[in-house]
């Protein structure tokens, strides 16, 4: 059932797959498309993960037991992607809400994260190394390194 899909007919909730990853279309941002990756079921769960119900997975052509990571990825087009199916409208609304909630949480975390001044010491314990300059080499000396 895999077929190419024209970019003019794209709808939110469309499921695509590339060579290594499955994607779901979440929104459009100007000329770019916003996708979220569909991940296989693993033990590592993130707060941005939204489990994909088996009925939605069956309708969209996804493997059972997958989840959607609400982490937006911008792509210019659907080049290299193969259309697989469409998620239902109710689940798509839930997905968009979960993604906006995750983005809001990340903005709040970034706002309260400590900021270092420009002249603050680096993570190397305040050790500042001079720029690397090659040593002058003698034309008469034989160098093995």
């Amino acid at each position: 059932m895999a077929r190419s899909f024209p970019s003019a007919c794209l709808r939110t909730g469309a499921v695509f797959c590339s060579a290594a990853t499955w994607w779901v279309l979440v929104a459009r941002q100007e000329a770019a498309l916003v996708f979220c990756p569909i991940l296989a079921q693993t033990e590592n769960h993130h707060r941005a993960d939204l489990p994909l119900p088996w009925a939605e997975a069956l309708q969209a052509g996804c493997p059972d037991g997958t989840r959607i990571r609400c982490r937006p990825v911008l792509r210019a087009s659907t080049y290299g992607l193969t259309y697989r199916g469409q998620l239902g409208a109710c689940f798509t609304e839930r997905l968009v809400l979960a993604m906006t909630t995750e983005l809001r949480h990340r903005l709040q975390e970034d706002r309260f994260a400590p900021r270092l001044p420009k002249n603050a010491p680096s993570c190397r314990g305040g050790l500042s190394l001079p720029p690397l300059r090659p040593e002058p080499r003698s034309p008469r000396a034989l160098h093995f390194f």
Side-chain angles (χ1 to χ4, degrees):
M1 184 170 154
R3 62 182 191 272
S4 61
F5 197 66
S7 61
C9 301
L10 291 176
R11 294 187 312 164
T12 303
V15 177
F16 296 89
C17 75
S18 64
T21 309
W22 288 65
W23 301 94
V24 61
L25 178 65
V26 180
R28 289 179 187 240
Q29 185 175 8
E30 298 169 4
L33 301 170
V34 181
F35 287 93
C36 286
I38 300 175
L39 306 172
Q41 184 72 19
T42 62
E43 294 179 7
N44 299 330
H45 290 279
H46 191 269
R47 71 170 183 212
D49 289 350
L50 183 66
L52 189 61
W54 67 270
E56 292 290 335
L58 181 65
Q59 181 179 357
C62 297
D64 187 26
T66 56
R67 54 193 161 74
I68 298 173
R69 174 80 39 101
C70 296
R71 175 184 54 93
V73 176
L74 294 177
R75 290 183 64 119
S77 69
T78 58
Y79 181 76
L81 299 177
T82 306
Y83 177 73
R84 292 294 183 171
Q86 180 73 34
L87 296 175
C90 292
F91 184 77
T92 302
E93 289 176 14
R94 204 169 98 192
L95 171 64
V96 171
L97 179 65
M99 188 184 73
T100 55
T101 303
E102 175 63 21
L103 290 176
R104 190 175 336 113
H105 287 192
R106 289 184 186 198
L107 285 175
Q108 287 174 349
E109 289 170 355
D110 288 345
R111 187 174 59 187
F112 293 115
R115 301 284 184 212
L116 295 175
K118 287 186 177 183
N119 298 331
S122 67
C123 311
R124 296 178 284 184
L127 175 67
S128 64
L129 299 173
L132 179 64
R133 292 186 203 137
E135 294 181 15
R137 297 190 176 237
S138 167
R140 293 185 211 131
L142 184 60
H143 297 282
F144 294 101
F145 54 101

